Amino acid sequence: MIVSMIARHDVSVRNWGRLAIAAMICGAAVAAFRDAALAQSADLVAINGRVFTAREGAMPAQAFAVRDGRFIAVGSSQAMQAYVGAGTQVLDLAGRFVTPGLADGHFHNEGGGPGVDLSATRSHADLIAAVGAAVARSRPGDLIVSNSDWHEAQLREQRLPTAREIDRVSPLNPVVLVRGGHDYILNSAALARWNISAATPVPDGGAITRGPDGELTGELIDNAKRLVALPAPAAVTTDDVLATQRKVNAYGITSVRIPGSYKGEFFQALDAILAVRRAGALTLRYTVYLPGMGVRDPARIREIIAKSPLKQDEGDEWVRIGGVKLLVDGGFEGGHMSKPFAEPYGKGGTFYGLTVVPTAAYTAVVRTINDLGWRATTHAVGDAAIDEVLDAYEAANVEHPLAGRRWAIEHLFVSRPEQLVRMKRLDLILSVQDHLYLAAPALKAYLGEMRASRVTPVKTYLDAGFLVAGGTDSPVVPFNPFFEFYHFLTRDTITDGVYGAEERVASREELLRMITINYAKLTGEQDLKGSIELRKLADFAVLSDDLLTVEAKKIPAMKALLTYVGGREVWRDPSLGGR
Ligand SMILES: [Zn+2]
């Protein structure tokens, strides 16, 4: 049945038969009729589906027609017959569910990389074995570095390994486990290589973790990571860009927003993406934010903006520059809170997380961006970090109002009710992700059960009337949009059950809008994409199940059967067979 989903219906024979009869009556009239028929015939007509258009209040449609990469009609299967011509491909959806192309509002990269792969480890034994295998392949003294797409919440022990534990398989080779975007874990040889000891001063905006015995555990957080100089990553190639888009297209994803870091050197990677664009080979649309994370100097921000090959909102429907990405606090282990971390992480009620960029410097940077007519979006995990962002945005707002200019905040794990009022006044957009799905037990340990159960209160944000766009923060969390959808719908987590059921978003339509049309509003492209409507880019995906009705627990295993970008098929699930 699935194989029959694509069938070339040769309706054209009938049309041309009619034309032939007309030809006997009047040649000129036939030519006019034929031209009219060609003018309205589609490249692709999809019929017999359940098509979620993302239009507010609209019932699912059955069918649509596409020409020159855009939707030219949406409606009933019957009505689409008018668009079927000689060269039209007819896609019989056989009742399948279609969504506008899915989008990831906070996507760094798809994960993986040249380092040690820890993504499939489930225990310390697995992790130590993976490091041991890498040591066995190396020469004595070689540096061993891991990929970043793993988290201790996936390990049975639900804690990071220590330097001493890694030493057991790597007594001589320095090892740096990169975890997410905020953490390094070093073994003793690596601590020695960079002269990090119990006597090392802790850098401002960073942390060097100690165990109960006062010894360093090997964990370096945020600005303390600067004590370590890892070799520069390999340049991003055009082949790598092609491989990435293949991977994400397979999940129905057609657009991603890159928040200031991708892989490798930022501008070199952007050049590689633009080279694929020039070759006409992109199948994924990008909105890219320039890297302003950690910047404390307005002059540096001016340099970064001057270096960009495109100015803000320049580009086309494939690659656009969205603004500048900033950062004020840490991640899971360093989000800046107004109340201390849970013990023992709270260190006797004294640890509130990290201020990675001091308030005055951050505010100066924000004002500079605003002066230049650009927009910022800022990573802020804790409520104290959100205070810092709001103070700076309000200062900038006095000079040039931010309303209507799509300024945003990223993550917003923890916030307070009065902050919503301030965010509303500035007309901010909220960019949220499903970190809790992966990291629930770690967040419970760091923040305590009450605070963790409210992490990323998406329902609260939607109910307050914000434009909320979804995303994953991949590779910190897997980029699978069905994990994200499932988590926001159920508040279930991978290893620790449901957290904060009161933050469930009951409306599946609303959740789908977060990763379709709301995303397009976040990037200012709502007239171009994000819904299945006339004249919009024909980005859509045919899914394995009906996302609006399927049993919730089946959602994480869902997949895209077909993905189209600009009316072109870019992914076909192997179960469908060839064309
Ligand atoms: Zn991120």
Side-chain angles (χ1 to χ4, degrees):
M1 184 188 86
I2 298 175
V3 176
S4 77
M5 234 170 60
I6 288 200
R8 288 171 185 277
H9 293 205
D10 204 357
V11 185
S12 56
V13 174
R14 202 174 58 222
N15 289 347
W16 291 111
R18 256 186 239 135
L19 287 175
I21 294 164
M24 290 184 284
I25 304 165
C26 171
V30 170
F33 180 39
R34 188 188 54 215
D35 290 349
L38 284 177
Q40 72 162 8
S41 79
D43 301 328
L44 169 77
V45 163
I47 56 171
N48 302 326
R50 229 169 86 78
V51 180
F52 174 75
T53 64
R55 272 184 55 207
E56 197 88 39
M59 294 293 289
Q62 268 184 326
F64 54 83
V66 173
R67 186 174 59 225
D68 297 333
R70 303 216 178 208
F71 297 112
I72 57 167
V74 183
S76 68
S77 299
Q78 180 69 33
M80 290 314 116
Q81 293 301 327
Y83 298 91
V84 177
T88 304
Q89 179 199 353
V90 177
L91 176 63
D92 185 347
L93 296 164
R96 293 287 186 189
F97 182 81
V98 179
T99 175
L102 303 179
D104 193 324
H106 192 115
F107 175 91
H108 295 285
N109 62 67
E110 76 279 18
V116 183
D117 179 8
L118 302 178
S119 64
T121 59
R122 292 294 175 263
S123 64
H124 278 196
D126 292 350
L127 185 147
I128 296 297
V131 173
V135 172
R137 291 191 299 268
S138 310
R139 287 168 308 186
D142 278 356
L143 172 66
I144 293 172
V145 181
S146 79
N147 294 336
S148 67
D149 55 345
W150 65 282
H151 190 277
E152 63 272 23
Q154 78 196 34
L155 307 175
R156 194 160 42 236
E157 293 81 359
Q158 307 214 332
R159 65 166 179 83
L160 293 170
T162 62
R164 292 217 179 125
E165 287 166 334
I166 304 169
D167 291 347
R168 288 209 293 269
V169 287
S170 188
L172 300 173
N173 291 70
V175 175
V176 178
L177 305 182
V178 179
R179 201 228 57 197
H182 299 267
D183 240 36
Y184 288 167
I185 302 92
L186 280 63
N187 71 343
S188 298
L191 288 168
R193 171 160 172 174
W194 282 288
N195 296 314
I196 302 164
S197 70
T200 303
V202 179
D204 167 38
I208 301 176
T209 307
R210 291 166 187 254
D213 53 1
E215 292 289 303
L216 301 190
T217 64
E219 184 186 23
L220 305 179
I221 303 173
D222 286 304
N223 290 348
K225 284 163 48 189
R226 296 187 191 161
L227 298 169
V228 172
L230 295 182
V236 176
T237 63
T238 53
D239 279 350
D240 184 83
V241 174
L242 297 173
T244 296
Q245 66 185 14
R246 265 197 302 279
K247 282 184 200 148
V248 306
N249 285 158
Y251 287 80
I253 296 171
T254 58
S255 292
V256 295
R257 178 170 168 268
I258 308 270
S261 74
Y262 181 63
K263 38 183 149 180
E265 197 279 317
F266 179 86
F267 286 106
Q268 187 277 323
L270 178 56
D271 281 347
I273 292 170
L274 288 168
V276 179
R277 163 68 190 107
R278 283 192 298 275
L282 281 184
T283 64
L284 181 65
R285 305 183 191 280
Y286 294 85
T287 294
V288 178
Y289 279 66
L290 304 183
M293 299 86 67
V295 172
R296 297 167 175 221
D297 176 5
R300 178 77 193 118
I301 277 295
R302 289 176 189 276
E303 277 169 31
I304 291 166
I305 286 177
K307 196 174 173 190
S308 178
L310 295 165
K311 300 297 163 232
Q312 177 173 280
D313 300 331
E314 281 183 3
D316 58 14
E317 72 268 26
W318 291 105
V319 185
R320 228 178 259 278
I321 299 296
V324 183
K325 162 80 183 302
L326 303 174
L327 168 148
V328 291
D329 68 343
F332 300 127
E333 55 291 305
H336 187 200
M337 306 286 163
S338 62
K339 296 201 174 69
F341 274 46
E343 299 304 327
Y345 300 97
K347 297 175 185 159
T350 62
F351 184 69
Y352 291 79
L354 299 170
T355 300
V356 177
V357 180
T359 304
Y362 169 71
T363 302
V365 165
V366 164
R367 290 172 61 184
T368 301
I369 290 169
N370 194 34
D371 277 348
L372 294 170
W374 280 58
R375 74 177 64 84
T377 190
T378 306
H379 163 121
V381 164
D383 63 324
I386 294 174
D387 282 333
E388 188 181 354
V389 173
L390 290 174
D391 288 347
Y393 282 13
E394 283 167 356
N397 184 63
V398 171
E399 293 155 354
H400 312 285
L402 307 188
R405 294 172 50 208
R406 295 185 281 105
W407 282 54
I409 304 182
E410 308 293 315
H411 311 315
L412 307 110
F413 281 19
V414 175
S415 58
R416 304 187 309 274
E418 80 273 13
Q419 293 179 319
L420 305 194
V421 178
R422 294 172 69 191
M423 293 192 279
K424 216 27 167 325
R425 218 177 281 143
L426 294 167
D427 193 25
L428 301 183
I429 303 176
L430 312 187
S431 168
V432 301
Q433 305 82 29
D434 58 332
H435 297 88
L436 184 68
Y437 184 56
L438 171 77
L443 284 164
K444 186 157 74 181
Y446 290 134
L447 303 178
E449 192 165 354
M450 279 299 293
R451 215 167 9 179
S453 75
R454 298 248 318 136
V455 158
T456 325
V458 174
K459 182 176 190 299
T460 295
Y461 296 152
L462 287 168
D463 287 352
F466 285 99
L467 178 65
V468 182
T472 65
D473 204 6
S474 176
V476 178
V477 179
F479 66 81
N480 187 329
F482 305 109
F483 289 0
E484 175 196 357
F485 189 97
Y486 171 74
H487 170 70
F488 288 152
L489 181 69
T490 63
R491 298 281 296 181
D492 197 9
T493 64
I494 294 178
T495 58
D496 208 25
V498 171
Y499 274 48
E502 67 281 4
E503 287 296 338
R504 284 175 178 151
V505 178
S507 164
R508 295 186 183 201
E509 288 86 350
E510 192 69 55
L511 285 175
L512 254 179
R513 272 193 281 273
M514 279 171 52
I515 50 175
T516 55
I517 189 66
N518 290 11
Y519 170 94
K521 289 176 180 171
L522 169 65
T523 61
E525 297 170 298
Q526 66 272 20
D527 295 330
L528 192 64
K529 64 184 187 185
S531 61
I532 296 180
E533 290 187 85
L534 291 196
R535 289 178 289 280
K536 286 201 180 180
L537 294 168
D539 299 352
F540 62 92
V542 182
L543 304 185
S544 56
D545 299 274
D546 186 332
L547 202 41
L548 298 183
T549 59
V550 68
E551 199 185 339
K553 69 169 195 271
K554 291 186 174 163
I555 295 173
M558 279 181 61
K559 55 186 181 177
L561 298 177
L562 288 168
T563 305
Y564 279 70
V565 177
R568 193 157 66 87
E569 181 186 305
V570 298
W571 162 251
R572 164 179 291 250
D573 188 78
S575 69
L576 298 180
R579 245 184 209 268

